[in-house]
Structures are given as C-alpha cells and as structure tokens.
Amino acid sequence: MAVDSGSPVQIVMANDDHTFSLDEEALGALLLRPDVVHKKVVIVSVAGAFRKGKSFLLDFMLRYLRASDHLQPAEIHQGAWLGSDSQTLTGFHWRGGSDRDTTGILLWNEPFFRKLPNGDEVVVLVMDTQGAFDSQSTVKDCATVFALSTMISSVQVYNLSANIQEDDLQHLQLFTEYGRMALSSSAGKPFQKLLFLVRDWSFPYEAAYGLKGGESLLARRLEVSDKQHPELQQLRKHIRSCFEAIHCFLLPHPGLKVATNPQFDGRLSDIEPEFKARLVELMPFVLAPSKLVPKEINGRDLTAGELLEYFKVCPALF
C-alpha cells in the first residue's frame, strides 16, 4: 500500500461576514508546480449537506488513487486497493458527531498523474467542500460554496442521505442556477459531470446497490410527465440542462460501528462487507482513466495554470 503523502489546503475561506475569499498563494503552490502547470486537470469534488460523510468518502478516493498507481487492473477490480483490515483511514480530516467539520473549500495538495485512453496526460485533484445547511451558514453561503465547487470541478459528486428527495432536487436547482448566472457567457451546458451519491440506501429490493440500481432510481426521480405540476417539470428540465452527464450510485449503510462508535478510525474491519464491496465498484466508476473528465470551459480543456486564473475570477462573481 502506498505511503500517505500530501495534506488538505484551504483554498476558499468562509469569512465571518459571510463572504468568501481565495488563498491564491496556497492554490498557486499546487497548480503552478513545474510538473503540474501545463497539464490538463481533472477536479473531483464532493458536496452536499453537512455531517453526511463527504470527507470520509474522499479519503477512500485518495486511497484508491494512491494504490492504483502500483496495482494491476485485475487487482484493482478485486479491491486490493482497499488495503488491510487494520489500516486506519487518513487524509481529509473527518470525525463522527453532529457538528460541522469542514469549512470553505479544501484541495488535497497531492496531484495524481494519469494517462487517458486517448493518450492525453492529466493531473487529478480532489476537492472537499463545506457541508450545506448547518446552523452557522446562510442559504446564500450554501449556494455559493456549492456553485463554486460545481463551477470549478469537472466531476461533482452530490452526496445525499438515504434517497433523492424533492428538496434535494430543489437545492440542486438553486445552487446550479446560482452558478449558471455567474457563468452567463458560457455556451452550451455550463457544468460537466454530476453523480448523485445516495448514502445509507435502505431499499435494495426496489433498486439494487451500486450503479445499476442508482441509474434506475435516477430515471424515476428525474422523469418528466404531463401529470406533474409545471414547476416540477421545469425543475427536472433545469437539472438536465445544466450537466453534460448525470449518473447515480447507491451505497448501503457502512454499519453501526461506523455510525455510533466515537473511537471509529476508519479501519476496514469495522465496516460492513456490502459497503466495502460497493466502494470497490464506485471508485473506478469515478476515477479510472477511462472515466476521468478534464475540466473544460466553452469546449476547451484547461491546464492547471489556466485553472488558477479561472479560480481567481470565480469567488468575485458572488
């Protein structure tokens, strides 16, 4: 198993007056590295409500990215990247409990280099966001963080609890409209890839865990019919119009030891086998070279250096 390296860097700070500011120096230290600056860049972000396991999930992404540098495809498919049962989970800070842990937007400062099937070399970066709807954030704060992360990322994981509810779709409409207004000059669909990630899915008899069940649930939730109120139809059309690709994945509950033990440190022995099996399915769907989506603006892929300039503009739009 690869040795952990890198650390989370706060690149967008939430200020006391409910504004946001960019740490250009911290961001530049990563994006202007000589081995990074001229490469196309893939940004994978996880966003959603607070205290729903976003950072926990991101740390499995980091583990997958590190390990897949050294493993054969068959080993990755079998889940060898998960490591030993006693290995603790490190990376972005996470913990149990009911109070928020992440504020603003953080970027992991360890770049992962990949070659796409077309031969292009890209750098993969992983981003964590402040959870929405905590007791200290306004709706505008939540909309700003989600809109910023969606504007900046090429793959946005929308982390949800238990189901895709109507209010989840309404929040997504609010957040994406906020970002779309800021990107008023963009042609075509303003955002790239969206993955609804439903955590603690409890109805596998209706839709099976994993991608197949997720796509089935998504088709039902985003279906437009004449029987719906025009407002509900417009909501679904709006979401479809915002993203070039939309998918859904259903994850089971990771187990009571994860949810209720304050000493839980991420070791696999405390996580339910079904959850681990679905992680083995999920990570390649998001992070395998054939699935990576380079960040583009108006149909043109951005290099890391160009992304820095784009980053500088984004917070000022709000």
Side-chain angles (χ1 to χ4, degrees):
M1 182 59 61
V3 176
D4 289 3
S5 60
S7 58
V9 175
Q10 185 110 31
I11 54 167
V12 175
M13 274 115 6
N15 303 316
D16 291 339
D17 62 354
H18 298 279
T19 61
F20 293 86
S21 53
L22 177 69
D23 189 333
E24 292 184 22
E25 185 177 351
L27 188 59
L30 173 59
L31 296 182
L32 297 180
R33 275 178 43 165
D35 57 344
V36 170
V37 64
H38 298 300
K39 285 187 169 62
K40 295 177 181 180
V41 61
V42 176
I43 303 268
V44 180
S45 167
V46 179
F50 82 113
R51 306 309 306 148
K52 300 298 181 185
K54 295 185 299 298
S55 302
F56 179 71
L57 177 80
L58 279 159
D59 290 344
F60 278 111
M61 289 187 179
L62 292 175
R63 182 176 290 188
Y64 174 89
L65 286 165
R66 290 193 190 104
S68 56
D69 274 336
H70 312 287
L71 295 173
Q72 297 300 313
E75 293 175 303
I76 295 172
H77 180 72
Q78 293 163 5
W81 62 269
L82 277 171
S84 70
D85 278 355
S86 61
Q87 186 177 355
T88 57
L89 191 61
T90 60
F92 288 99
H93 185 259
W94 61 273
R95 58 176 173 77
S98 58
D99 295 324
R100 75 174 183 182
D101 197 37
T102 303
T103 60
I105 297 178
L106 290 81
L107 198 63
W108 192 256
N109 69 358
E110 176 185 4
F112 299 93
F113 301 97
R114 294 291 182 271
K115 181 172 282 191
L116 302 185
N118 65 4
D120 285 350
E121 289 193 357
V122 299
V123 58
V124 181
L125 301 174
V126 178
M127 191 160 74
D128 194 7
T129 64
Q130 173 179 321
F133 309 116
D134 64 81
S135 60
Q136 300 168 54
S137 302
T138 65
V139 171
K140 182 176 184 290
D141 293 342
C142 300
T144 299
V145 168
F146 196 104
L148 276 173
S149 65
T150 307
M151 290 164 63
I152 290 162
S153 63
S154 52
V155 180
Q156 177 70 289
V157 178
Y158 187 19
N159 192 67
L160 300 174
S161 177
N163 210 331
I164 302 176
Q165 309 274 21
E166 194 64 24
D167 62 340
D168 297 322
L169 299 180
Q170 291 167 351
H171 295 148
L172 182 62
Q173 180 185 35
L174 168 68
F175 299 157
T176 52
E177 186 58 29
Y178 210 61
R180 189 155 74 165
M181 285 190 297
L183 292 172
S184 56
S185 63
S186 69
K189 296 186 177 182
F191 310 120
Q192 289 176 261
K193 186 174 182 179
L194 174 70
L195 174 66
F196 286 89
L197 182 64
V198 179
R199 310 288 288 270
D200 305 345
W201 176 247
S202 300
F203 312 106
Y205 48 86
E206 291 183 358
Y209 296 130
L211 183 64
K212 186 176 180 180
E215 299 290 56
S216 171
L217 176 69
L218 183 66
R220 298 202 303 272
R221 292 292 185 267
L222 293 187
E223 182 181 12
V224 176
S225 75
D226 294 337
K227 296 178 182 179
Q228 290 170 324
H229 188 282
E231 184 179 295
L232 300 180
Q233 295 182 38
Q234 182 54 38
L235 166 63
R236 284 153 176 79
K237 291 174 182 176
H238 168 89
I239 292 170
R240 293 258 187 218
S241 73
C242 281
F243 294 91
E244 294 173 3
I246 304 178
H247 299 284
C248 180
F249 194 100
L250 305 179
L251 272 178
H253 194 284
L256 284 177
K257 287 185 179 179
V258 177
T260 62
N261 181 2
Q263 274 75 51
F264 174 68
D265 56 10
R267 64 188 64 211
L268 295 177
S269 57
D270 291 336
I271 299 174
E272 289 293 322
E274 184 69 49
F275 184 86
K276 291 182 281 191
R278 295 307 158 189
L279 283 180
V280 171
E281 179 188 355
L282 172 64
M283 293 305 162
F285 178 71
V286 178
L287 298 169
S290 62
K291 300 294 185 180
L292 293 175
V293 180
K295 178 63 186 172
E296 64 176 46
I297 300 293
N298 292 331
R300 190 177 73 82
D301 293 342
L302 296 189
T303 65
E306 291 168 335
L307 181 68
L308 176 61
E309 296 308 309
Y310 182 62
F311 249 115
K312 290 178 183 178
V313 173
C314 286
L317 297 174
F318 300 97

